[in-house]
Amino acid sequence: MIDPVIASRIQFALTTIVHIIFPVMSMGLAPFLVYFTWKDIRTGKAIYEQLRRFWTRIFAVSFVVGTVTGIVLEFEFGTNFAAFSTTAGELFGGPLALEGMMAFMLEATFLGIFVFGRERVGNALYMVSAVAVGLGTWLSAVWILIANSWMQTPQGYELTTKNGQTIVELVDPVAAYANPRFPWMFVHMQNAAVESVALFMAGIGAYFVFRHHVWGYSIENIDFWETTLKFGLLALLITAPLQVLHGDLYARHIVETQPQKFAAMEAVWETDSYVPEYIIAFPTSIQDLLDPRAKDIFGIGFPGGASWLASGGDAQASIQGLEEFDGPQPPVAIVFWSFRMMVGLGFWFILLAVWGGYRWWRGELLEDDLLHKALMASTLLGIVAVELGWIVTEVGRQPWVIQGVLRTNEGVSPGLTAAEATATLVGFAVVYLGLLILYTYVIARIIRAGPPDVHDHAVQDTPGTSSSEVSVDD
């Protein structure tokens, strides 16, 4: 049997890693669907109706699976982290409740109209439903990230004793909800979601374009896949540079608020200056792989880059080492390598965007087979980068579940036994893996089926503006 603290941490990490895929897809698709809907209504062109209906199917499946996996995730606070719930429930429960009442209700109410109502409501209401669904999706991220960011930079609270237990009492909701970490996490997460979907769209579009233009296969609806590739590439050109620029500023914020996490990200054990920022790092021994220390790593990167990141422009700046912090250290190897891979992927996405943009500008986008292969290979790498970033965020603040307030091992349910924790870990692993396989199967079927056959139609302002013989369920 596994120690209940370890089993609970593995279970929460596993379920979060699977769950986060679905909100990333729905949050990233939301702005695309609003745009496709607006263009469909304004122009009546078949391509926009195809784009709207095809990607709405993937959005709807992601929303349903994301809801199921997200609700179960919240139960774990009661089953595995009851002590955390007792301590921080007064503050932590508010954002979760507001997420359900505001964001989820908005999404669920208007999603029915958006998915099934095109033939039944007017253009104005249908457009409102598209915006409401997108807004609800992003509002959900607002409340979840408020809760999580408070755990990173807690404020607006007082510690008090109730029934013999120390609990967090909310004394300033504005300070707590508008905590310093929230804007950084929200912007970085939302841009990452759009970037991930842009890579997904570009990768899927490139697959069909490659088969048609390079291999000479006759691909039905090739115009649709070419347009999908271009929309994905256009979004990547916008989001990829923004993600790296924002990540740079975000890192400086981490230095100010969680210096121990930043030291783990860079594997700096002894306070030092002119610390390099390795984009690619090679361990010189097995020990360096499992216990990385910046001085012992051979890598390719920027000399003084980490110091420059930490200080906001001074390559000679000093970085506080891990050895200066009392108590347990975060698992440095996980944080260090996750951060390296995330940063490396971020620069790879910029290269892809510039490469694709250049080929597009030269009128060679549809013939560059090497670019198509690179985009296909990168289809899911945006989601991988999000997972790595989440690992850096959550593992990097260990041993704290609430930074400086409550350690993770103190937040686990006191009566939880090793047998119970191991049993639920295995059960959750099986169920979540099954859901992930089912989701992948359904999405693959949607992609193989391709977009619906539709035709340009006259623009009207009455219900049933699209071709009456087709519906989103076709």
Side-chain angles (χ1 to χ4, degrees):
M1 296 298 170
I2 307 174
D3 177 82
V5 175
I6 299 297
S8 297
R9 290 178 63 180
I10 294 174
Q11 178 179 312
F12 202 83
L14 176 68
T15 50
T16 303
I17 282 172
V18 174
H19 166 70
I20 202 171
I21 296 170
F22 315 117
V24 163
M25 288 298 293
S26 54
M27 289 188 301
L29 277 170
F32 287 101
L33 292 180
V34 170
Y35 179 75
F36 294 155
T37 303
W38 178 67
K39 292 293 288 185
D40 178 25
I41 291 173
R42 286 291 301 273
T43 68
K45 291 183 177 179
I47 186 68
Y48 291 111
E49 183 178 350
Q50 286 183 310
L51 287 165
R52 173 180 60 77
R53 291 171 57 180
F54 178 84
W55 290 104
T56 295
R57 294 170 184 170
I58 294 179
F59 176 92
V61 175
S62 303
F63 173 80
V64 170
V65 183
T67 301
V68 172
T69 54
I71 289 174
V72 174
L73 202 65
E74 293 183 7
F75 290 154
E76 292 182 53
F77 290 120
T79 57
N80 293 67
F81 293 95
F84 164 78
S85 299
T86 301
T87 302
E90 178 177 326
L91 194 147
F92 202 73
L96 297 185
L98 288 169
E99 192 255 344
M101 288 190 294
M102 292 174 60
F104 181 73
M105 289 299 293
L106 189 65
E107 276 182 277
T109 302
F110 283 94
L111 187 60
I113 298 174
F114 185 60
V115 174
F116 301 108
R118 186 67 186 102
E119 317 299 325
R120 299 174 178 83
V121 301
N123 288 336
L125 180 55
Y126 192 72
M127 190 67 228
V128 168
S129 72
V131 174
V133 168
L135 183 62
T137 305
W138 280 44
L139 260 181
S140 181
V142 167
W143 292 113
I144 295 298
L145 292 178
I146 281 176
N148 187 278
S149 61
W150 180 82
M151 295 160 70
Q152 310 281 340
T153 53
Q155 62 178 36
Y157 73 95
E158 286 182 357
L159 290 177
T160 185
T161 302
K162 194 172 186 179
N163 298 325
Q165 287 188 306
T166 301
I167 64 168
V168 169
E169 182 179 4
L170 180 62
V171 296
D172 187 347
V174 175
Y177 290 5
N179 66 80
R181 179 58 53 83
F182 170 69
W184 294 103
M185 290 188 79
F186 182 75
V187 173
H188 209 59
M189 185 70 202
Q190 299 311 98
N191 193 69
V194 178
E195 185 180 19
S196 298
V197 168
L199 282 160
F200 188 78
M201 293 177 75
I204 299 298
Y207 170 72
F208 289 101
V209 168
F210 178 80
R211 295 186 69 190
H212 183 80
H213 290 284
V214 178
W215 280 1
Y217 286 31
S218 177
I219 301 295
E220 199 174 350
N221 292 303
I222 189 61
D223 290 344
F224 170 84
W225 297 115
E226 290 175 1
T227 306
T228 296
L229 168 60
K230 290 177 180 176
F231 269 113
L233 197 53
L234 181 62
L236 190 63
L237 276 163
I238 298 170
T239 55
L242 279 178
Q243 193 69 357
V244 172
L245 289 173
H246 186 266
D248 170 42
L249 299 173
Y250 189 179
R252 293 176 205 174
H253 168 74
I254 291 175
V255 174
E256 296 171 0
T257 55
Q258 292 178 302
Q260 188 179 19
K261 177 189 288 187
F262 186 80
M265 288 158 58
E266 302 296 346
V268 177
W269 286 85
E270 300 172 10
T271 300
D272 200 358
S273 58
Y274 198 60
V275 179
E277 177 64 54
Y278 296 122
I279 302 301
I280 300 174
F282 302 96
T284 54
S285 69
I286 294 295
Q287 185 180 2
D288 291 334
L289 178 64
L290 302 177
D291 183 20
R293 293 167 188 263
K295 281 188 172 180
D296 299 330
I297 295 291
F298 176 77
I300 301 172
F302 305 104
S307 294
W308 187 85
L309 273 177
S311 63
D314 181 7
Q316 298 293 337
S318 175
I319 294 180
Q320 192 175 6
L322 286 162
E323 291 179 349
E324 293 195 22
F325 297 92
D326 296 329
Q329 302 291 354
V332 177
I334 297 175
V335 179
F336 177 79
W337 294 115
S338 297
F339 183 63
R340 299 273 86 65
M341 289 187 280
M342 180 190 68
V343 172
L345 286 175
F347 281 103
W348 168 244
F349 299 155
I350 290 179
L351 177 62
L352 269 182
V354 172
W355 182 3
Y358 175 73
R359 289 299 191 188
W360 193 354
W361 176 67
R362 291 285 303 268
E364 301 166 349
L365 178 62
L366 305 181
E367 286 79 31
D368 189 338
D369 59 333
L370 188 59
L371 173 64
H372 298 162
K373 292 176 182 176
L375 288 171
M376 284 187 277
S378 304
T379 303
L380 300 178
L381 290 185
I383 293 174
V384 172
V386 170
E387 301 277 16
L388 293 168
W390 202 246
I391 289 171
V392 173
T393 300
E394 298 307 302
V395 179
R397 70 178 151 94
Q398 298 301 319
W400 301 101
V401 64
I402 304 173
Q403 185 75 41
V405 177
L406 183 71
R407 293 184 188 274
T408 304
N409 60 355
E410 298 168 339
V412 174
S413 303
L416 189 67
T417 66
E420 291 169 342
T422 304
T424 57
L425 168 61
V426 173
F428 273 83
V430 171
V431 171
Y432 271 65
L433 183 61
L435 282 172
L436 182 59
I437 293 172
L438 178 63
Y439 173 80
T440 305
Y441 172 74
V442 172
I443 295 299
R445 280 191 61 107
I446 292 173
I447 293 172
R448 277 201 301 270
D453 292 327
V454 297
H455 305 285
D456 291 350
H457 54 78
V459 177
Q460 302 174 35
D461 193 23
T462 55
T465 52
S466 60
S467 306
S468 59
E469 67 273 16
V470 294
S471 75
V472 75
D473 301 319
D474 288 347

